[in-house]
Amino acid sequence: MSDSDGGDIPESGADGGRRPRRRVFKWLAAVLALLLLGSAGAGYVYYRHLNDNIKQNPLNLGDNKVAQPTPNAAGQTPLNILLIGSDARDNEANQKLGGARETFGATPLADVQMLLHLSADRTNMSVISMPRDTLVQIPKCTDPEDGTVYEASKGRTMTNQSLGHGGPGCTVATWQELTGIHIDHFIMVDFAGVVSMADAVGGVPVCVDANILSRDSKGHGSGLKLPEGTHPVKGEQALQWLRTRYGFEDGSDLARAKAQHMYMNSLVRELRENATLSSPNKLRRLAEEATRALTVDPGLDTVKKLYDLSNELRKVKPERVTMTTMPNRYVGARVEPTEDAEQLFRLVREDIALDGRDKKSAGAGEAAEKATSTEPPAPDAEIAIQVVNGTRTDSLAAAPGRASTVTGLLREMGFTGAFAGTSGSLSREQTVVRYPSADLEGDAHRVAESLGIPGSSVRRSTDVSGVTLVVGADWREGKTYEAPEQDDTTPESAEALNGADDTACMKVNPAFTWS
């Protein structure tokens, strides 16, 4: 998580076999029900105490909002939850678990960021991990505690700095600006919370293909030391696994993200298969530790709400969980999203399973093409539209006059505010419509709908100052736009990992092995 990187046996029945896991879940549900439904007794008092442990922050500190997804035919909507791992060292427990003394009380960084997407029908789950050194534009955010206004970043900066711009709500705002995905909740956990979760399941199995010691001659590294093979990690060792860069593959944050995916998949399997919560006292201790480690949005600020969410997540089988890393390319020592990243974001926006196993009903693809917006458009004649020629490719010069031709077409259709941009030609594979702010969203969708451009090609962007139509290489001639067949496959560059894959093993850098 930071630059410094820094068990019980399942209970058995009388026959020696593992008790049915549904009995454990029923027992856990009964204990929680007792806490939730107790009247004036100690159960209710303790339930209130746990609720008081949970810290909460506003969901979105930015000025801009993203429309909620359209419900499916059954009236169901997906859930998008941003998971944030904070490197905060704001108490003694967190300080003991990593970091130098001088970092105590410093501005925290969002060093782990994963967007969890639960499908509307609750059959599948997708996770997108964003490397902490991804360059993004952090939007304007206002600190809810003291009213401090953090202006939008000038140029791009590392995404993990968003947490220091008022709290997790600014990290949410940053994700929404980049991806166009509406985020329903966030859950932020600190160092101590990671340790307590690993302890809760009695250890999380992880694998390395060689002996590893994450420590170099200058003292850099998490300190993780494991022999070759698969081993359960818990406590501080679990935290070391999640923080390790030095020793995994090329030592980059991308390798760390891959290790985190393996850990999360393994944790999910353990939660479904193990029965380590074997006594009320143990449950109480774990509840105490976990609630103290969490910061959530107001929609998840009670034990009951968190429990209800866990029930929703448990509906998905491990084989329908897909872990991915946001496709990226290096920019110096940092990374930036690629076009494949936009493809991944679109699949999530349209609730398309990343494992390719969706069973789409007739007309589902057509529905996904339709433009959707919560903002009504202005009259056609009042919509200002800049048209830009983006038809240049690696092998072809820009098609001459395309901006003027399409501008004329729009004017014929009643969009008298259309005008041809004077900037040089761009290079864009597909035709897109961009808009800078929520109040222009309806206008942008109206333009796209009129030209037959799919709603998935309409995106918010801080790179434009008004509704902007970029005529792409897929529309080099003619006055009728023919939308290309949509590719709904997960890009290979996302390095998808299936949740049921228990054979994955981290590759150890030879410079960090031991014998």
Side-chain angles (χ1 to χ4, degrees), residues 499-512:
D501 184 359
D502 59 2
T503 65
C505 207
M506 284 304 297
K507 183 178 180 181
V508 175
N509 187 312
F512 290 86

Side-chain angles (χ1 to χ4, degrees), residues 98-396:
R101 296 178 188 275
E102 62 269 18
T103 64
F104 188 85
T107 302
L109 299 171
D111 274 355
V112 175
Q113 299 177 37
M114 294 183 180
L115 181 67
L116 187 155
H117 172 82
L118 181 62
S119 67
D121 61 9
R122 305 303 189 254
T123 62
N124 65 88
M125 188 188 305
S126 305
V127 179
I128 301 176
S129 177
M130 186 190 297
R132 65 172 190 163
D133 54 3
T134 300
L135 296 176
V136 298
Q137 285 192 306
I138 299 176
K140 174 185 173 183
C141 292
T142 303
D143 192 319
E145 293 290 329
D146 58 17
T148 299
V149 176
Y150 295 87
E151 295 297 337
S153 60
K154 296 179 180 179
R156 299 185 301 175
T157 188
M158 284 173 58
T159 183
N160 65 349
Q161 295 182 21
S162 60
L163 187 59
H165 289 215
C170 195
T171 305
V172 169
T174 302
W175 269 81
Q176 290 196 157
E177 288 282 337
L178 176 68
T179 67
I181 298 169
H182 174 81
I183 295 177
D184 300 282
H185 300 291
F186 73 78
I187 298 175
M188 184 168 72
V189 63
D190 59 18
F191 283 171
V194 172
V195 170
S196 66
M197 281 192 296
D199 290 346
V201 295
V204 176
V206 295
C207 177
V208 287
D209 69 354
N211 300 339
I212 182 174
L213 173 58
S214 178
R215 188 73 73 197
D216 65 11
S217 59
K218 297 181 180 179
H220 297 141
S222 69
L224 177 71
K225 184 175 183 179
L226 284 175
E228 177 183 350
T230 300
H231 310 277
V233 293
K234 57 190 295 189
E236 187 173 357
Q237 196 172 45
L239 179 64
Q240 289 174 332
W241 176 274
L242 293 169
R243 295 174 62 209
T244 295
R245 273 198 305 127
Y246 295 95
F248 286 153
E249 298 185 352
D250 62 356
S252 70
D253 200 49
L254 304 178
R256 170 160 46 193
K258 189 180 295 185
Q260 290 168 353
H261 291 167
M262 291 183 185
Y263 179 93
M264 292 288 287
N265 279 344
S266 188
L267 175 61
V268 169
R269 290 193 296 269
E270 292 301 304
L271 286 171
R272 293 181 67 93
E273 296 174 5
N274 273 331
T276 56
L277 300 177
S278 54
S279 74
N281 284 336
K282 184 170 186 178
L283 174 62
R284 181 174 296 229
R285 288 197 306 272
L286 293 172
E288 190 77 38
E289 293 171 0
T291 52
R292 286 183 183 278
L294 293 180
T295 301
V296 298
D297 67 275
L300 293 177
D301 62 352
T302 68
V303 173
K304 183 181 185 306
K305 291 176 183 177
L306 290 167
Y307 178 65
D308 289 344
L309 173 62
S310 70
N311 277 339
E312 290 294 289
L313 298 176
R314 276 183 37 230
K315 292 176 182 178
V316 181
K317 297 179 180 178
E319 56 266 27
R320 294 304 312 275
V321 176
T322 307
M323 308 286 292
T324 65
T325 298
M326 180 199 75
N328 59 82
R329 58 176 161 254
Y330 278 104
V331 180
R334 311 302 181 198
V335 300
E336 66 180 3
T338 63
E339 286 197 1
D340 279 356
E342 169 52 29
Q343 164 80 342
L344 195 65
F345 300 153
R346 180 185 67 79
L347 295 178
V348 171
R349 287 197 302 269
E350 297 179 7
D351 197 24
I352 297 172
L354 298 187
D355 61 7
R357 294 172 56 186
D358 264 346
K359 294 181 180 179
K360 292 187 179 180
S361 58
E366 182 181 338
E369 296 292 305
K370 293 182 179 178
T372 58
S373 171
T374 57
E375 291 293 326
D380 291 354
E382 297 179 14
I383 301 176
I385 312 160
Q386 178 177 209
V387 183
V388 179
N389 188 345
T391 58
R392 178 171 52 84
T393 70
D394 291 340
S395 57
L396 296 172

